[in-house]
């Protein structure tokens, strides 16, 4: 059996994926990495870099950081959907990619759950749900259907997948 070194979790809600990723890493004894925080840390002022150096240069610097993720070991990573979509080709070969899916009927519950946990979360746009859900189902190695009301069962399902 091959050991999974990197597990990348993506989904429709960045904050929910962060929440799940942090809990999963603790349960399986892996490190946790929030890719968005790594990008912010590595490129101190992205807006200024874009302004001074241009969009192309900023994208190249972000790509270098994304490629470096392939060297991490025993790590559970969370990544924003937009970052994943822009960097899919650099991630697909070397990472176990898991879509943390939610039922469209639970969007309201998820947004309420996140409001109490994370004040910065953007409410999921129901109009984009179908398009993003389709992309993730097509491009992820595993899909774990998370029930907002029974997260522990979702963890068991996720852990059993690998």
């Amino acid at each position: 059996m091959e050991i999974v070194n990197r597990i990348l979790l993506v989904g429709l809600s960045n904050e929910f994926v962060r929440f799940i990723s942090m809990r999963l890493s603790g349960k399986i004894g892996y490190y946790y990495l929030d890719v968005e925080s790594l990008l912010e840390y590595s490129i101190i002022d992205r807006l200024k870099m874009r302004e001074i150096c241009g969009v192309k240069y900023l994208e190249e610097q972000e790509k270098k950081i994304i490629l470096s993720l392939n060297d991490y070991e025993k790590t559970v990573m969370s990544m924003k959907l937009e970052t994943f979509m822009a960097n899919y080709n650099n991630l697909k070969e070397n990472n176990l990619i898991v879509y943390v899916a939610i039922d469209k009927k639970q969007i309201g519950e998820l947004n309420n759950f996140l409001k109490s946990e994370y004040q910065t979360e953007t409410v999921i746009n129901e109009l984009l749900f179908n398009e993003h859900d389709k992309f993730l189902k097509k491009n992820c190695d595993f899909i774990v259907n998370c029930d907002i009301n029974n997260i522990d069962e979702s963890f068991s399902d996720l852990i059993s997948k690998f």
Side-chain angles (χ1 to χ4, degrees), residues 112-125:
N112 287 333
F113 170 80
L114 292 172
K115 284 179 188 170
S116 65
E117 296 289 325
Y118 305 98
Q119 295 300 315
T120 60
E121 174 68 11
T122 306
V123 176
I124 294 174
N125 185 338

Side-chain angles (χ1 to χ4, degrees), residues 52-68:
I52 293 171
C53 304
V55 173
K56 185 92 171 146
Y57 182 78
L58 174 61
E59 288 174 351
E60 287 174 13
Q61 297 310 304
E62 288 179 347
K63 183 179 176 181
K64 287 180 187 176
I65 295 165
I66 296 297
L67 287 170
S68 76

